[in-house]
Amino acid sequence: MALRSIEELAGRRVFPGEPLCTVEEFIPGDGVYVDDGLIRAARFGRVEVDMASRRISVKPFSAKPRLPRRGSAVYGIVYAVPREELALVRIFADERMVPYNGFFSGALHIVQVADSPGERSIYDYVKPGDYIRATVMSSTPPFMLSMKKSQDGVVLAYCSVCGAPLYRVPGSPRLVCLHCGNEEDRRVSPLYILTARRKRRHNAGA
Ligand SMILES: [Zn+2]
């Protein structure tokens, strides 16, 4: 008695213990076990049927680790500034903000932020603890990052004085702390998460 046809079995996702076929139909291969004349899956995986040898196996799903793709955007957190012109980034998610299985090392050089940085420091654009969106420039780790695309930049930063999250103020290039009033410079992404209402500079009639 056949449980399922070959067409139904091949490529099927199965759970451990799931009956696949009888020992009369196939020879047990990898990832299966025999129980009272039935071949059952021994692991979660995909059924493979070798018609030549009449062998049935369950292959584990290969958990392909995703890598940041060259040319795509990623999200990361700046964790160190070892030199005035270089920031180190821990990349944690792709451009859809889907997290990777782990972290990837990224490096952001000042020439990948500003066309003519002159005497400026990378600190003028990012600081440790900042969440950034950046574009991947290389195919292997450590990934070289760029923040020159219009969507790239800091997406969330915290106040250097009091640690509160900083807000973007429409019309201003600076970020402000609503808690202590501190203002800070960053390369701010248009995707920056927190926006404050514009401050009133004058009282009516003053
Ligand atoms: Zn503050």
Side-chain angles (χ1 to χ4, degrees):
M1 177 203 70
L3 297 172
R4 289 195 179 89
S5 69
I6 298 293
E7 290 74 22
E8 280 181 311
L9 275 172
R12 187 183 175 86
R13 286 173 176 226
V14 291
F15 289 88
E18 201 171 320
L20 305 177
C21 57
T22 65
V23 287
E24 286 83 31
E25 295 171 285
F26 288 101
I27 298 163
D30 293 335
V32 300
Y33 66 96
V34 177
D35 166 38
D36 197 21
L38 286 179
I39 298 178
R40 294 176 184 269
R43 58 184 162 211
F44 181 62
R46 193 185 304 279
V47 176
E48 271 191 21
V49 179
D50 183 342
M51 289 308 293
S53 63
R54 296 211 57 86
R55 195 174 294 273
I56 190 163
S57 310
V58 174
K59 302 292 183 190
F61 291 115
S62 54
K64 275 188 190 161
R66 291 184 308 133
L67 281 175
R69 271 187 310 109
R70 185 178 182 171
S72 72
V74 290
Y75 286 87
I77 184 165
V78 177
Y79 70 92
V81 177
R83 299 200 301 273
E84 283 290 299
E85 72 281 5
L86 183 71
L88 300 181
V89 179
R90 192 168 286 132
I91 299 166
F92 64 87
D94 67 13
E95 62 192 357
R96 295 165 299 148
M97 290 194 106
V98 177
Y100 294 111
N101 287 337
F103 296 107
F104 296 99
S105 297
L108 178 67
H109 194 273
I110 194 166
V111 299
Q112 295 300 341
V113 182
D115 285 325
S116 48
E119 297 294 304
R120 304 197 78 178
S121 152
I122 192 86
Y123 277 110
D124 294 325
Y125 306 105
V126 297
K127 287 186 171 60
D130 288 357
Y131 288 88
I132 64 166
R133 178 190 157 107
T135 300
V136 179
M137 308 289 287
S138 56
S139 322
T140 51
F143 292 95
M144 298 301 131
L145 299 174
S146 163
M147 289 210 315
K148 284 188 174 178
K149 284 197 175 163
S150 62
Q151 302 280 292
D152 291 342
V154 174
V155 294
L156 184 61
Y158 297 89
C159 176
S160 302
V161 177
C162 75
L166 295 171
Y167 281 73
R168 184 166 61 135
V169 181
S172 166
R174 310 195 83 191
L175 296 173
V176 298
C177 176
L178 301 183
H179 186 70
C180 75
N182 178 39
E183 295 193 6
E184 300 193 18
D185 289 316
R186 296 289 198 283
R187 163 59 56 83
V188 179
S189 165
L191 302 174
Y192 194 86
I193 291 165
L194 301 173
T195 303
R197 281 197 227 155
R198 183 191 286 272
K199 267 193 234 166
R200 275 200 195 163
R201 292 181 184 275
H202 304 287
N203 292 324

